[in-house]
Amino acid sequence: MISKVIQKKIAKERIDILFEEAKKAFKNAPELSKRYIILARKISMKIKVPIPKDYKKLFCKKCYTFLQPGKTLRTRVNKKILIYYCKNCGTIKRYPLK
């Protein structure tokens, strides 16, 4: 049996790898990048490791599409609020700016 600390370390590494692969695969196969994101989320939930903040803004929480400005994402800034609009499903996410 592997200890919890080692499991969490391995899970973090795999999440990083899956998000990097999702970035690479998006140009040629958007559905494959979506699958990588879903796998990363499953690992995160199973081992109870949070997805890093850098990666949380890279995918839509509703349809799990990899978000790339201009292609699947529209960004706007309105009154110190960053607005992300997913072009795939129409979900709007708002992030406050400092």
Side-chain angles (χ1 to χ4, degrees), residues 3-94:
S3 71
K4 294 278 185 183
V5 176
I6 295 172
Q7 281 182 349
K8 288 188 178 193
K9 183 181 175 191
I10 292 170
K12 286 179 186 178
E13 290 173 3
R14 288 184 182 173
I15 289 170
D16 288 340
I17 291 167
L18 284 167
F19 270 97
E20 293 303 319
E21 289 297 319
K23 282 182 189 177
K24 291 177 191 174
F26 181 73
K27 290 180 184 177
N28 300 327
E31 289 300 315
L32 186 60
S33 67
K34 188 176 184 176
R35 177 73 179 142
Y36 288 148
I37 291 170
I38 291 170
L39 286 172
R41 281 192 72 247
K42 283 184 179 180
I43 291 170
S44 166
M45 289 187 290
K46 184 167 179 89
I47 308 296
K48 297 179 184 172
V49 174
I51 293 175
K53 286 184 181 181
D54 300 340
Y55 296 140
K56 279 189 179 184
K57 290 185 181 181
L58 290 180
F59 69 96
C60 177
K61 308 308 188 266
K62 187 174 180 184
C63 66
Y64 308 118
T65 302
F66 183 77
L67 297 176
Q68 189 169 21
K71 294 183 180 176
T72 58
L73 172 69
R74 184 171 66 200
T75 58
R76 299 286 186 261
V77 178
N78 187 9
K79 297 178 184 175
K80 297 183 180 181
I81 296 173
L82 180 64
I83 302 169
Y84 278 9
Y85 175 79
C86 177
K87 290 184 177 180
N88 193 30
C89 66
T91 301
I92 297 172
K93 292 302 261 177
R94 293 173 179 89

